[in-house]
């Protein structure tokens, strides 16, 4: 197909939006290892998991054989407000880089939460509402998940309690106000309102918190209040299932114009956008139908795939969540606070971990200042101010496009632009002022956290 026939933005028609989510586990011969109950260290049962999560979501979490799940009509209708999301051909970036590569990005920042997180927030809130719950509790790091969940809860008239990692609570006061506008109750974590929060505050006075701490607080809040459940914005297999809409739409848009992707690139925090984005492509690889280069990009300050260990670990600092087998830096690993933005989680989705372990996916770690340079290059030509998280994918997409320039190959590079960075101006300011550093944890630091992995 000739160049010009591919529009700048490939939009699907509304009726072309997927009606089902895709569960890549169904096509994996070697499945991700089962979640373990932290009390018994045995594979967790549906009844046990339903004490923490809504039953329908617990079912999705444990199901590794059903390939497709129908998207309930109510959720599909909510998706229509901001989906299908465009797949953009980055003509201007290609021109700027003078690369023969063709670069495409799936833009997930077109809603108030500013990220892909709303795709799963609405699904999780929907199942909670359907189960007759009063409300949900959660944690948020950079704030996008808390915002997405508060949007979904206000739409469905559910109570929403958010534990926000203290350093972002302080750095991003406006994020907090967006959540409060949607009616959420926002508490900086670690707080004094939960037992685990008081314990963490006592043990680490003055700590600015971490996702692992905030998760523990939110789980405690859910299990100690009647009619509440805990919901999580990443890492879990149910979240990857909901996020498969990103990959399914991307694949449909590429197919519409007969474009075969060579490389699929996504940033990896807990692995939800990456997992959802690559799922349909990984499925084709697993079924032997096609081949792609799948690349996970993580920050060098929190390098779970590239420097972590594949082992059972706790998902939270308080060690009350189910254990999962994943690439991890240890649940006690607290990334340097000088690392801005998200992607600060110590572990990784079990699905992404297993795909990586099987060699279906590569991983790269990139340094913060290089990420912001890529963000700046992108912002100056493509008209979107990218989130720092998303910019990890931009960085590697640009690296790959520059390799094509050397070799003269015209590859199709597709990456996920997970969101916008308007609430990350504190980090952009540091970058613009030239005072942003690159923190890379030492081997000793990583070994110390890994030494505390549970004995399973
Ligand atoms: C949360 C977030 C991420 C990282 O989370 P994953 O679960 O790894 O996808 C990436 N980009 C943006 C904009 C986010 O809000």
């Amino acid at each position: 197909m000739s160049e010009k026939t591919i529009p700048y933005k490939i939009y699907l028609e509304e009726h072309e939006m997927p009606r089902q989510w895709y569960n890549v586990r169904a096509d994996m011969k070697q499945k991700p290892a089962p979640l373990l109950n932290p009390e018994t260290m045995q594979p967790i049962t549906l009844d046990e998991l339903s004490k923490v999560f809504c039953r329908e979501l617990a079912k999705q979490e444990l199901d590794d054989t059903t390939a497709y799940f129908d998207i309930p009509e109510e959720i599909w209708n909510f998706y229509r407000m901001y989906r299908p999301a465009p797949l953009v051909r980055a003509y201007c970036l290609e021109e700027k880089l003078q690369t023969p590569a063709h670069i495409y990005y799936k833009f997930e920042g077109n809603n108030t939460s500013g990220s892909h997180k709303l795709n799963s927030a609405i699904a999780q809130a929907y199942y909670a509402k359907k189960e007759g719950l009063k409300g949900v509790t959660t944690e948020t790091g950079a704030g996008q998940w808390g915002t997405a969940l508060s949007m979904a809860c206000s739409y469905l008239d559910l109570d929403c309690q958010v534990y926000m990692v203290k350093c972002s609570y302080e750095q991003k006061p406006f994020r907090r106000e967006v959540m409060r506008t949607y009616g959420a109750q926002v508490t900086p974590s670690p707080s004094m309102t939960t037992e685990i929060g008081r314990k963490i505050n006592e043990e680490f006075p003055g700590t600015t918190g971490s996702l692992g701490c905030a998760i523990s607080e939110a789980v405690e809040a859910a299990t100690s209040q009647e009619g509440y459940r805990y919901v999580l914005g990443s890492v879990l297999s149910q979240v990857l299932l909901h996020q498969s809409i990103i990959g399914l739409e991307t694949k449909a848009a590429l197919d519409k114009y007969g474009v075969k992707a060579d490389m699929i690139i996504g940033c990896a925090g807990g692995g939800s956008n990456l997992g959802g984005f690559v799922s349909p492509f990984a499925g084709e690889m697993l079924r032997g139908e096609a081949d792609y280069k799948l690349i996970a990009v993580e920050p060098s300050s929190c390098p779970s795939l590239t420097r972590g260990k594949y082992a059972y670990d706790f998902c939270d600092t308080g060690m009350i969540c189910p254990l999962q087998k994943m690439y991890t830096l240890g649940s006690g690993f607290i990334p340097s606070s000088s690392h801005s933005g998200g992607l600060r989680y110590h572990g990784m989705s079990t699905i992404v971990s297993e795909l990586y372990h099987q060699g279906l996916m590569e991983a790269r770690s990139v340094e913060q200042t290089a990420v912001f340079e890529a963000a700046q290059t992108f912002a100056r030509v493509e008209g979107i101010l990218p989130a720092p998280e998303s910019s990890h994918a931009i960085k590697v997409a640009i690296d790959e496009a520059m390799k094509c320039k050397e070799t003269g190959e015209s590859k199709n590079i597709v990456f996920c632009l997970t969101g916008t960075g308007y609430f990350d101006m504190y980090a952009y300011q540091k970058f613009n002022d030239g005072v942003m550093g690159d923190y890379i944890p030492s081997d000793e630091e990583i070994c110390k956290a890994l030494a505390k992995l549970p004995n399973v």
Side-chain angles (χ1 to χ4, degrees), residues 22-311:
Y22 169 62
N23 179 13
V24 70
R25 286 172 293 175
D27 282 311
M28 294 170 75
K29 281 195 196 75
Q30 178 68 42
K31 312 280 185 198
L35 296 178
L36 302 184
N37 182 328
E39 280 160 27
T40 62
M41 289 292 178
Q42 293 301 310
I44 200 159
T45 64
L46 180 60
D47 284 340
E48 291 166 344
L49 200 56
S50 303
K51 288 183 193 138
V52 185
F53 303 126
C54 309
R55 197 157 181 95
E56 213 51 46
L57 292 167
K59 272 191 207 159
Q60 293 179 357
E61 192 63 34
L62 298 178
D63 190 332
D64 57 13
T65 51
T66 307
Y68 288 94
F69 285 77
D70 287 341
I71 302 175
E73 190 71 22
E74 293 89 337
I75 299 176
W76 197 82
N77 278 325
F78 185 89
Y79 280 167
R80 285 168 67 198
M81 281 194 265
Y82 67 101
R83 309 199 69 86
L87 180 71
V88 185
R89 171 80 185 268
Y91 281 114
C92 298
L93 181 63
E94 290 170 18
E95 175 71 25
K96 172 83 186 167
L97 301 176
Q98 288 290 300
T99 174
H102 294 185
I103 308 173
Y104 296 83
Y105 59 90
K106 180 71 169 167
F107 182 47
E108 289 289 328
N110 217 350
N111 68 79
T112 302
S113 78
S115 82
H116 64 286
K117 299 225 170 52
L118 193 56
N119 300 333
S120 185
I122 186 61
Q124 297 193 45
Y126 167 81
Y127 290 116
K129 183 75 184 178
K130 220 175 128 206
E131 199 169 303
L133 298 177
K134 284 185 217 153
V136 290
T137 71
T138 199
E139 78 298 326
T140 196
Q144 287 94 318
W145 168 246
T147 309
L149 188 68
S150 54
M151 289 172 74
C153 286
S154 70
Y155 181 77
L156 293 167
D157 200 20
L158 265 180
D159 187 37
C160 180
Q161 302 176 357
V162 182
Y163 289 85
M164 186 170 186
V165 178
K166 197 177 274 170
C167 67
S168 24
Y169 183 89
E170 281 156 9
Q171 276 180 16
K172 301 181 176 187
F174 294 143
R175 264 279 171 217
R176 180 175 80 219
E177 289 320 309
V178 178
M179 287 184 254
R180 297 208 310 160
T181 302
Y182 284 105
Q185 186 186 319
V186 189
T187 310
S189 166
S191 75
M192 297 302 276
T193 64
T194 64
E195 211 169 291
I196 186 77
R198 288 189 290 273
K199 203 171 133 202
I200 292 167
N201 269 315
E202 201 173 296
E203 212 171 310
F204 307 97
T207 176
T208 52
S210 73
L211 268 181
C213 299
I215 293 175
S216 300
E217 285 206 276
V219 173
E220 185 185 320
T223 49
S224 60
Q225 294 176 89
E226 182 70 31
Y228 281 75
R229 286 293 184 283
Y230 166 67
V231 294
L232 177 58
S234 183
V235 186
L236 299 170
S237 300
Q238 57 186 275
V239 183
L240 269 72
L241 175 71
H242 308 146
Q243 295 298 356
S244 69
I245 189 141
I246 305 174
L248 292 165
E249 279 186 11
T250 302
K251 175 111 185 45
L254 290 170
D255 287 350
K256 197 165 172 173
Y257 285 89
V259 178
K260 161 77 172 59
D262 293 303
M263 268 173 253
I264 320 273
I265 304 169
C267 63
S272 77
N273 88 82
L274 173 75
F277 183 48
V278 306
S279 273
F281 302 97
E284 287 184 276
M285 291 168 80
L286 289 160
R287 296 189 302 270
E289 297 165 5
D291 205 17
Y292 302 96
K293 190 174 166 120
L294 310 179
I295 310 176
V297 191
E298 60 184 13
S300 50
S301 63
C302 193
S304 48
L305 287 171
T306 50
R307 293 175 68 196
K309 197 169 162 188
Y310 194 35

Side-chain angles (χ1 to χ4, degrees), residues 312-326:
Y312 268 106
D313 194 10
F314 291 96
C315 295
D316 61 321
T317 313
M319 305 181 186
I320 49 181
C321 287
L323 285 87
Q324 65 174 33
K325 190 175 178 194
M326 59 183 173

